[in-house]
Amino acid sequence: MGDNILALHGGPKVKMTPFGTGKRFGSDEAKELLEALEQNTLFYHFGSKVKQFLQDFNDLYNVKYSVATSSGTAALHVALGAAGISVGDEVITSPITDQGTVVGILYQNAIPIFTDLDPYSYTMSAESIEEKITAKTKAIIVVHLAGNPCDMDPIMKLAKKYNLRVIEDCAQSYLTTYKGQLTGTIGHYGCFSTNDFKHISTGDGGMVTVNSGDETDYFTTHAFADKNYRRQEDTVMKDLEYLAPNYRMTELQGAVGIAQLKKLNWICTRRNELGGRLQQGIATIKGINPMKITGEGWCSYWFYMLTLNLEQLTCTREEFSEALAAEGIPNQPGYIPKVLYAQPIFQKEQAYLNSHYPFNLGSYDYSIGSCPNAENILETAIRLNISEFYTDQDIEDMIIAISKVASYYSK
Ligand SMILES: *Cc1c(COP(=O)(O)O)cnc(C)c1O
């Protein structure tokens, strides 16, 4: 009986041993970095590291072309630029994502349109997207949140019907598959981030896959990340036909990326095992809605997020989170602070200081309550860290602690 007293109330803690940790960077990264410096240039076009990183990435993803960028946010902007998204175009995306998903939309003076999510998988569906399609819709940015793939077949079918470009935000979904196909290779472009919090890190950085395999499409995508300079083997075309930012990756990032990419398979496989075990271990606990993995999907668990069924519990989400933390299980109530459209940038329709452009091109619905499932997810979610360095015991302790807290607060 005594074991069931919450640690929060002075009972024994579930987690008595420290969580597994490990080193992300080692001698492989150091060797690559030293080689980069010895080239006497850190510019991607003169060196070999970014080129090698791209080649390795293309081989891993079995794509013909990709473009390296300075961040995931940049990768998404590059994909939108290459897709020809411009003034007043509407781009449908998820309200639960990193703000990097929408930054490029607004820099193109296009309009982010938010669609509601499945309450348990936290992903966008073709049905929810179709409700938001207008004559102005030009693209969809699907977000494979936490490494869980969106149900892509119906989304691609919808995109074909309405002639929309599909950009996959894969910042959290390295090596995730949908029906055996890698996310990032299903839509027209796949965008990745190598910021320091992702499965692999180059400090900051990103990648765009050009899935058409078309050379012109590749050159346009490449130029959009390089101030519209069109660099080929030994020629550089410098005609500035339209606006393109400088989002180049440096040789230092490329060098670290080469070494990190070699670890990616191990990292994702281990996260899939650990996340899958957690998923299974909490599947039948009263008051807990486990994260629903999309059918025929393989999840690389950038994090694990469950939601609470508060009608079956006597506590608030914050009390649950605190009780779980007291048991020795670090967790966060929710994910981003609020759905993106609740942020002042949308509530004030202010993409640029001192301007309401491009929001004043039309009338857009950013009202609170417009994506009720998404809002409810953020109000009831408990987010748990998953690390490839965690041990099996760490996951078992997480399951025991969640079960202990849920049963204590069970109605
Ligand atoms: C991290 C992230 C981004 C942005 O990537 P940065 O490299 O930080 O710019 C975009 N979308 C999602 C879903 C992310 O998790």
Side-chain angles (χ1 to χ4, degrees):
M1 246 335 261
D3 276 7
N4 291 334
I5 300 172
L6 292 182
L8 192 66
H9 301 155
K13 254 166 95 163
V14 169
K15 186 88 180 112
M16 300 303 282
T17 54
F19 278 91
T21 57
K23 277 184 74 173
R24 300 178 82 186
F25 309 110
S27 52
D28 292 347
E29 284 79 4
K31 175 179 159 285
E32 293 289 343
L33 277 169
L34 200 58
E35 284 177 15
L37 291 166
E38 281 165 359
Q39 296 177 143
N40 214 27
T41 176
L42 295 176
F43 179 41
Y44 82 96
H45 190 61
F46 295 158
S48 68
K49 293 303 179 190
V50 171
K51 287 173 189 148
Q52 186 66 52
F53 182 37
L54 283 166
Q55 187 58 55
D56 294 349
F57 192 87
N58 291 350
D59 290 346
L60 184 63
Y61 272 82
N62 196 22
V63 294
K64 197 164 165 197
Y65 299 117
S66 53
V67 171
T69 61
S70 52
S71 72
T73 304
L76 285 149
H77 189 187
V78 167
L80 289 156
I85 301 308
S86 72
V87 180
D89 292 345
E90 294 177 9
V91 179
I92 298 175
T93 193
S94 168
I96 301 185
T97 181
D98 184 272
Q99 65 266 42
T101 308
V102 300
V103 165
I105 303 174
L106 287 165
Y107 269 116
Q108 289 303 101
N109 285 312
I111 315 289
I113 302 292
F114 297 100
T115 183
D116 209 1
L117 305 176
D118 179 276
Y120 305 113
S121 72
Y122 326 132
T123 57
M124 309 155 66
S125 70
E127 299 88 77
S128 61
I129 294 166
E130 190 163 22
E131 286 171 23
K132 303 284 173 153
I133 293 178
T134 73
K136 299 255 178 174
T137 308
K138 289 285 163 54
I140 305 165
I141 302 182
V142 295
V143 180
H144 306 300
L145 198 76
N148 188 22
C150 295
D151 189 8
M152 290 303 289
D153 277 352
I155 293 174
M156 293 311 293
K157 216 171 132 190
L158 188 74
K160 205 165 179 193
K161 180 172 162 196
Y162 292 94
N163 192 26
L164 308 175
R165 303 271 92 188
V166 177
I167 297 167
E168 294 180 78
D169 184 338
C170 302
Q172 302 180 5
S173 71
Y174 279 99
L175 297 190
T176 285
T177 59
Y178 169 79
K179 297 190 177 176
Q181 206 180 341
L182 285 165
T183 53
T185 67
I186 303 168
H188 299 95
Y189 304 93
C191 299
F192 296 79
S193 164
T194 53
N195 87 18
D196 207 46
F197 308 98
K198 300 296 154 71
H199 290 78
I200 51 171
S201 165
T202 62
D204 266 309
M207 193 74 88
V208 188
T209 57
V210 182
N211 297 329
S212 62
D214 175 69
E215 196 178 49
T216 310
D217 190 7
Y218 165 64
F219 285 142
T220 307
T221 310
H222 185 243
F224 198 84
D226 194 357
K227 302 188 282 189
N228 227 335
Y229 283 175
R230 287 157 194 266
R231 295 180 210 276
Q232 294 174 25
E233 278 297 295
D234 34 38
T235 59
V236 189
M237 285 188 284
K238 297 189 173 179
D239 281 348
L240 305 179
E241 291 182 36
Y242 52 84
L243 199 58
N246 174 353
Y247 286 152
R248 299 187 301 224
M249 179 179 273
T250 74
E251 287 290 278
L252 296 174
Q253 293 157 298
V256 175
I258 293 168
Q260 286 278 288
L261 212 52
K262 294 195 169 87
K263 301 172 182 170
L264 186 59
N265 199 22
W266 171 77
I267 292 169
C268 293
T269 304
R270 185 65 182 143
R271 281 172 175 260
N272 172 266
E273 280 169 12
L274 295 169
R277 173 66 196 125
L278 178 57
Q279 171 85 344
Q280 186 201 348
I282 63 168
T284 58
I285 300 175
K286 193 181 157 201
I288 303 287
N289 304 315
M291 173 167 149
K292 189 179 99 196
I293 304 305
T294 301
E296 301 178 79
W298 189 93
C299 181
S300 56
Y301 293 98
W302 188 55
F303 54 69
Y304 187 93
M305 193 160 82
L306 56 85
T307 57
L308 300 177
N309 183 341
L310 291 170
E311 275 156 29
Q312 294 180 350
L313 300 169
T314 59
C315 61
T316 65
R317 187 263 303 267
E318 278 61 28
E319 285 164 342
F320 194 102
S321 170
E322 277 168 39
L324 194 56
E327 298 296 338
I329 309 298
N331 71 92
Q332 297 83 35
Y335 169 36
I336 53 172
K338 44 184 131 174
V339 285
L340 282 185
Y341 57 80
Q343 291 284 355
I345 185 172
F346 294 104
Q347 292 300 309
K348 295 182 181 170
E349 301 206 327
Q350 178 181 258
Y352 304 96
L353 272 176
N354 303 320
S355 171
H356 291 296
Y357 196 82
F359 296 112
N360 54 13
L361 293 171
S363 139
Y364 309 101
D365 180 14
Y366 297 121
S367 58
I368 305 303
S370 56
C371 296
N373 292 344
E375 293 178 22
N376 193 55
I377 291 164
L378 291 183
E379 281 160 17
T380 58
I382 297 282
R383 189 160 53 97
L384 298 145
N385 305 333
I386 297 282
S387 159
E388 58 275 14
F389 297 115
Y390 281 3
T391 64
D392 293 350
Q393 187 60 48
D394 291 336
I395 297 293
E396 293 313 313
D397 290 343
M398 286 164 88
I399 296 166
I400 294 166
I402 292 166
S403 174
K404 178 182 173 185
V405 173
S407 86
Y408 178 84
Y409 288 119
S410 178
K411 268 186 187 164

